[in-house]
Amino acid sequence: MISTGFLRGKGGKLIGHEISLLSSCLQENMSKCTIPYAPHEEQLVQLDTAKRNLKQLTRLLDARQIFDSEDSQKLKDRAIDDSLLPTLVAIGENLKIIKELGAVPKFDAESFHRTKDRYLAWKGTEFAVKFDSPGALDDIFEAFLTLNSVNDFFRLYQHHFDQSLNALISRPTEEKRSLKEIGGFFVTQAADHFRTHFGSLCKYCDEKEAFTRLLDAWKSFVKNGELEKLIEVSIENYSNYDLLNDLKMIVIKELERNGEGEGEEESIENIERIIVDGLLESAKKPLAEKLTAMRSIPEVASNLETFSHLLREVSHQIQEIYSENEGQKYMISILEPIFLDYTKRLLRMEDNSTQKVKLEEYLERISLAGQLSGIMEEYKEKTEIKGGQELKNSKKWMNERVKDAIRASHRFVTDKMPNHGSEVYKESTDLPKSALPTPQDFVVTATQNLLHLLRFWEEALANENTKIALQNHVTEANKESPEIPDDDQIFAAILDKIASHVVKKLVQSINDVWSTDGKTATLSKGLVKEFLCDAEYLRDALVDLRAGSHQNLDTVIEKLREQLKTMN
């Protein structure tokens, strides 16, 4: 039996020796088969193997002879033209044989591959010139096919198809300024272009492969951003939501052409729909940027109204423009950056809350917070987004509007109260010890102002947006409570926050006189009675106003009573 090691010979003599040995073995085995009795099974196997080895060595020798020819040895110096093709084909075929047999060629295989690549690159230059001419690529295809490089031919075709789509965009479209006109024009031209090249490519492969390759080239074209630039140019002159209507008209026209619900499977029959989808994909970024820039209006109220209209309009239009499966994703991709940008702007707005601003204006701003709350809930419902920076920004801005109104409300009361107790609480030697003091004027005024505040807040709660904002604020502060607060609970919670600041101011005034550097001052009985009178008066007033109980005020009253007991 001949070893496969015979196949690794490197010289012509060795090849001849291998063939001679193989022939001798073959003759020996054949002679054994002529004896009268039947050969053993092992002998038949040896005979079959010998025949196969002889055939392989014969092919190897023939292949080596090609490599020893003058053309192959001077291959790297040959000029690159079509006369080179037969040589490349012959060498390529025989190099394949040598490799199949596990032998090592004498010829520089790398030189062959480099020359082959140079030749194919030269044909590629010819490819670019002939690409748009029907039937002009036949000889180029044959060359690539003959050299077992047909996939390189298809890659070239896809590349030039991609580039030819760029050429469609660069054609003058000055007379077609609207998105509807420019987009519609491109869809028509691109679809015709696709069908033309589909027919051309079908000469070199089956229809399925031709469509798949062109479709891949189209998707690559969409990703490279040139179509996006076309959208940017076409929406530059828009200043309102007509751009959404025009974009929708492109889709409607395509649906009317193909029929509602048809064309979901990608095929040459619905190529217009595929191109429209690419157009919509490319529109996402420039459309979001344009819609964001369109709603820059100075006044907060107008901004919120415009912003609310924008979100509704955009979401409604996009759901009609994009397909049912993709519409939600596209809508989010456009609405999310708009909402995030808008809430960032809200947080950066300069706070004009000065002493000159009326309380009513702060309460009106709560109404804006409620309006934004409604917008936010609608946004969450449409996009199904449960969390995100835009929602955090919105909640922060709404809470700040309520806090501003609460601060303005308690300042409405506390700014008229003394900053230091020594300004109003002074020892008087004229006051009889048995005399019952009356409340200080500033405490009486404070309770009257609290009563006045109730009317402002009652009127504010009549506004539905204000109620929504306050309801959210109270709910946020009492997260442990699962119940949604009603009007009375909202009113009580807000009044309690305001009253707590008033109580704090009175307690500070009393402590300012009573305690210095942590030491209790020695006070007259009359002054202690005045403290107690003011504190009890405020506490009773807060009870009457249903402003809740305040532990710090109760503690001061208890301490004052204990102090009076020691004086008695």
Side-chain angles (χ1 to χ4, degrees):
M1 182 175 179
I2 298 300
S3 169
T4 55
F6 286 147
L7 300 180
R8 299 189 179 92
K10 295 184 178 180
K13 292 181 179 180
L14 183 57
I15 291 175
H17 178 65
E18 291 170 351
I19 294 177
S20 176
L21 289 176
L22 183 61
S23 297
S24 298
C25 179
L26 182 61
Q27 291 298 327
E28 181 183 352
N29 280 278
M30 291 178 66
S31 64
K32 290 180 180 179
C33 292
T34 59
I35 58 178
Y37 53 84
H40 295 293
E41 182 179 349
E42 180 181 352
Q43 293 172 334
L44 291 175
V45 172
Q46 288 179 338
L47 178 62
D48 185 61
T49 302
K51 287 181 178 179
R52 287 200 307 271
N53 287 345
L54 179 62
K55 183 177 180 181
Q56 287 178 325
L57 285 174
T58 303
R59 291 177 65 206
L60 178 60
L61 182 59
D62 290 341
R64 288 260 174 83
Q65 287 174 345
I66 291 291
F67 278 92
D68 291 336
S69 69
E70 182 179 356
D71 283 340
S72 64
Q73 293 299 328
K74 298 180 179 180
L75 184 61
K76 62 182 179 180
D77 300 323
R78 288 276 300 274
I80 303 299
D81 53 34
D82 281 328
S83 67
L84 188 60
L85 181 60
T87 301
L88 291 174
V89 172
I91 294 175
E93 289 178 350
N94 287 280
L95 183 60
K96 182 179 179 182
I97 292 172
I98 292 173
K99 287 183 177 180
E100 285 177 354
L101 296 176
V104 178
K106 288 171 53 182
F107 177 72
D108 181 7
E110 286 300 317
S111 177
F112 161 73
H113 288 300
R114 285 195 296 270
T115 305
K116 175 183 172 183
D117 290 341
R118 287 170 55 211
Y119 175 76
L120 292 178
W122 176 74
K123 296 300 287 184
T125 303
E126 185 182 351
F127 192 110
V129 175
K130 296 181 177 180
F131 177 69
D132 281 321
S133 302
L137 300 178
D138 292 354
D139 62 322
I140 299 176
F141 175 76
E142 288 300 324
F144 277 79
L145 180 63
T146 304
L147 292 175
N148 296 315
S149 298
V150 68
N151 282 332
D152 292 328
F153 172 85
F154 290 129
R155 278 193 288 270
L156 266 177
Y157 203 106
Q158 288 174 288
H159 170 73
H160 286 290
F161 181 71
D162 186 326
Q163 295 302 306
S164 65
L165 290 169
N166 284 329
L168 285 181
I169 288 179
S170 63
R171 290 177 185 175
T173 56
E174 290 298 324
E175 73 283 0
K176 304 176 180 66
R177 298 305 305 164
S178 74
L179 177 62
K180 178 175 61 178
E181 291 171 328
I182 290 180
F185 174 79
F186 176 78
V187 171
T188 300
Q189 294 297 310
D192 290 344
H193 193 64
F194 200 110
R195 287 192 172 92
T196 296
H197 282 281
F198 174 72
S200 298
L201 195 55
C202 281
K203 292 180 64 178
Y204 313 119
C205 58
D206 61 37
E207 291 185 356
K208 183 178 180 180
E209 183 178 359
F211 177 76
T212 299
R213 291 187 178 278
L214 291 183
L215 184 61
D216 288 344
W218 162 253
K219 291 178 178 178
S220 173
F221 167 74
V222 171
K223 289 180 180 178
N224 70 26
E226 292 302 316
L227 193 54
E228 186 176 291
K229 293 178 183 178
L230 176 69
I231 302 294
E232 289 176 353
V233 171
S234 63
I235 68 175
E236 279 182 359
N237 296 327
Y238 283 93
S239 59
N240 53 40
Y241 302 117
D242 285 347
L243 68 94
L244 287 170
N245 291 326
D246 284 356
L247 186 61
K248 184 169 67 175
M249 290 306 297
I250 298 174
V251 178
I252 290 174
K253 180 179 179 181
E254 176 53 31
L255 289 176
E256 289 176 347
R257 196 190 76 83
N258 277 338
E260 187 73 35
E262 295 182 11
E264 292 186 4
E265 184 179 350
E266 293 177 333
S267 66
I268 191 63
E269 285 76 19
N270 68 341
I271 189 60
E272 281 88 358
R273 179 67 215 190
I274 294 171
I275 293 171
V276 168
D277 287 343
L279 199 69
L280 297 179
E281 174 72 22
S282 300
K284 289 192 297 183
K285 182 180 176 182
L287 189 59
E289 291 175 351
K290 181 66 176 180
L291 293 172
T292 299
M294 276 169 47
R295 54 107 198 97
S296 298
I297 302 173
E299 298 81 9
V300 176
S302 298
N303 254 334
L304 281 171
E305 291 170 3
T306 304
F307 183 57
S308 174
H309 175 68
L310 181 146
L311 291 182
R312 289 195 186 96
E313 185 72 10
V314 169
S315 59
H316 174 73
Q317 294 278 36
I318 289 176
Q319 285 175 336
E320 289 192 340
I321 290 171
Y322 291 104
S323 65
E324 182 178 349
N325 294 333
E326 297 294 326
Q328 186 77 358
K329 181 181 70 175
Y330 287 158
M331 182 176 66
I332 293 172
S333 71
I334 292 174
L335 293 188
E336 191 171 18
I338 292 176
F339 207 119
L340 180 59
D341 174 77
Y342 185 75
T343 54
K344 284 181 178 178
R345 288 171 181 259
L346 281 179
L347 292 177
R348 288 198 301 263
M349 285 179 61
E350 182 180 357
D351 186 6
N352 296 320
S353 56
T354 64
Q355 296 296 330
K356 296 181 181 179
V357 177
K358 295 180 179 180
L359 176 60
E360 295 93 320
E361 294 180 40
Y362 285 106
L363 294 173
E364 287 174 1
R365 294 177 186 180
I366 298 180
S367 173
L368 295 179
Q371 190 176 345
L372 180 60
S373 175
I375 295 171
M376 184 179 71
E377 291 303 319
E378 190 171 353
Y379 168 78
K380 288 165 62 177
E381 181 182 351
K382 289 184 178 299
T383 62
E384 298 181 0
I385 292 176
K386 304 303 180 184
Q389 191 58 48
E390 71 276 19
L391 300 182
K392 293 178 182 178
N393 292 347
S394 298
K395 289 180 180 179
K396 182 178 179 181
W397 188 84
M398 291 187 291
N399 272 324
E400 285 300 319
R401 301 291 71 75
V402 177
K403 289 178 181 178
D404 284 346
I406 292 174
R407 280 193 290 266
S409 295
H410 72 70
R411 285 173 184 167
F412 182 79
V413 179
T414 58
D415 284 353
K416 298 171 186 178
M417 298 173 70
N419 290 322
H420 302 284
S422 57
E423 295 175 8
V424 292
Y425 291 116
K426 298 177 181 178
E427 294 284 4
S428 176
T429 56
D430 299 332
L431 183 67
K433 290 184 178 181
S434 61
L436 294 175
T438 58
Q440 293 278 352
D441 288 341
F442 78 87
V443 179
V444 175
T445 302
T447 57
Q448 290 174 343
N449 287 337
L450 277 172
L451 182 62
H452 189 45
L453 275 176
L454 296 182
R455 291 195 290 271
F456 282 118
W457 282 90
E458 284 174 347
E459 291 176 4
L461 271 170
N463 183 293
E464 191 62 32
N465 284 326
T466 301
K467 184 190 296 185
I468 290 172
L470 293 175
Q471 188 178 72
N472 290 339
H473 182 78
V474 172
T475 302
E476 187 72 18
N478 299 285
K479 291 182 179 179
E480 65 280 0
S481 176
E483 296 181 0
I484 298 176
D486 57 23
D487 290 4
D488 290 340
Q489 291 170 320
I490 293 172
F491 192 81
I494 298 300
L495 185 56
D496 181 68
K497 289 178 179 290
I498 296 170
S500 66
H501 288 278
V502 178
V503 168
K504 181 179 178 181
K505 191 69 177 285
L506 176 63
V507 171
Q508 286 177 341
S509 295
I510 294 174
N511 287 334
D512 179 56
V513 178
W514 196 2
S515 178
T516 304
D517 297 329
K519 297 179 181 180
T520 302
T522 302
L523 305 176
S524 67
K525 187 176 182 180
L527 189 54
V528 174
K529 282 185 176 181
E530 186 62 53
F531 284 162
L532 183 58
C533 178
D534 290 347
E536 289 181 335
Y537 179 85
L538 179 60
R539 183 194 61 184
D540 294 341
L542 294 179
V543 171
D544 291 340
L545 294 174
R546 294 181 300 168
S549 60
H550 300 272
Q551 185 62 43
N552 53 345
L553 182 59
D554 293 339
T555 300
V556 167
I557 290 174
E558 188 62 32
K559 287 174 65 177
L560 289 170
R561 287 176 176 172
E562 291 297 325
Q563 183 72 14
L564 279 177
K565 287 180 182 179
T566 62
M567 289 180 171
N568 290 332

